[in-house]
Amino acid sequence: NDGGTSFTYVLARMPARMIADPKCPDTLYLAARYYSATYPGAMFRSFNAGQTWSLTGTGLPIPNDFGYASLAIHPVYNNMLFANISKSSPNGLGPMEGFYKSINYGVSWTKITTNVDVQCYPSPNQAVCQGWYANTTLCSRTDTNTLYAGGTRLLKTINGGTTWNVCDTVGTAYA
């Protein structure tokens, strides 16, 4: 209410990513990464622009496995969300823990089996992963099965996340 001059502490977690629902901007989703037993990872939702938060998201990784995440809300079908979650720091930090989809505003999530780890380079450099840093997910506005994700390279799927292909033009060099 004061243009950002002061802040109020409302959630004791280590945020990884927060997004607003494009159709209901007071609805926020926050992926909190695992930091310690005191600050476990989880997904939270707020219906009042972040004044209060509640846990949401059955089907996601357990708190100790919940690393950095990118989130995407479909711009037309705002009930559809995607979460690209990396492993937590005790489990390796950079590789993908899982790619998840919700069709009920984040209440429950389904893990999508993918053909590649979208946060790592393709073979032979698959051990180089950046899920903790360059983790992103985007939805196509016109096709609910077309998504973009990446950590080290930009990948695209046209089947809802099962099969991903590199779509950037960097070639085989590091990004």
Side-chain angles (χ1 to χ4, degrees):
N1 295 343
D2 61 8
T5 301
S6 61
F7 295 87
T8 303
Y9 191 70
V10 294
L11 185 64
R13 291 294 190 273
M14 296 298 290
R17 194 69 46 105
M18 183 174 66
I19 58 172
D21 185 319
K23 291 187 173 184
C24 306
D26 282 350
T27 300
L28 305 174
Y29 296 88
L30 178 106
R33 69 178 182 90
Y34 170 83
Y35 183 73
S36 68
T38 304
Y39 301 104
M43 185 73 70
F44 294 88
R45 184 174 52 190
S46 172
F47 293 111
N48 55 12
Q51 294 175 37
T52 59
W53 295 89
S54 59
L55 278 170
T56 188
T58 61
L60 292 170
I62 62 171
N64 290 359
D65 293 343
F66 203 111
Y68 285 89
S70 62
L71 302 173
I73 300 174
H74 194 278
V76 176
Y77 306 104
N78 64 329
N79 63 303
M80 187 179 300
L81 289 85
F82 296 91
N84 182 0
I85 303 172
S86 75
K87 293 185 180 293
S88 63
S89 51
N91 297 330
L93 197 61
M96 184 170 66
E97 176 66 29
F99 195 85
Y100 298 84
K101 178 181 181 179
S102 172
I103 57 170
N104 58 7
Y105 302 94
V107 173
S108 61
W109 297 79
T110 302
K111 186 174 185 177
I112 298 171
T113 302
T114 63
N115 65 321
V116 297
D117 184 332
V118 300
Q119 297 174 3
C120 301
Y121 279 103
S123 183
N125 300 309
Q126 67 273 14
V128 179
C129 307
Q130 289 200 353
W132 56 274
Y133 178 71
N135 181 344
T136 192
T137 304
L138 299 167
C139 303
S140 165
R141 181 170 195 71
T142 58
D143 183 353
T144 58
N145 287 311
T146 299
L147 306 162
Y148 297 87
T152 57
R153 303 292 301 272
L154 183 63
L155 292 98
K156 177 181 179 180
T157 180
I158 57 172
N159 61 7
T162 304
T163 307
W164 294 86
N165 293 298
V166 173
C167 67
D168 62 40
T169 57
V170 175
T172 58
Y174 286 94

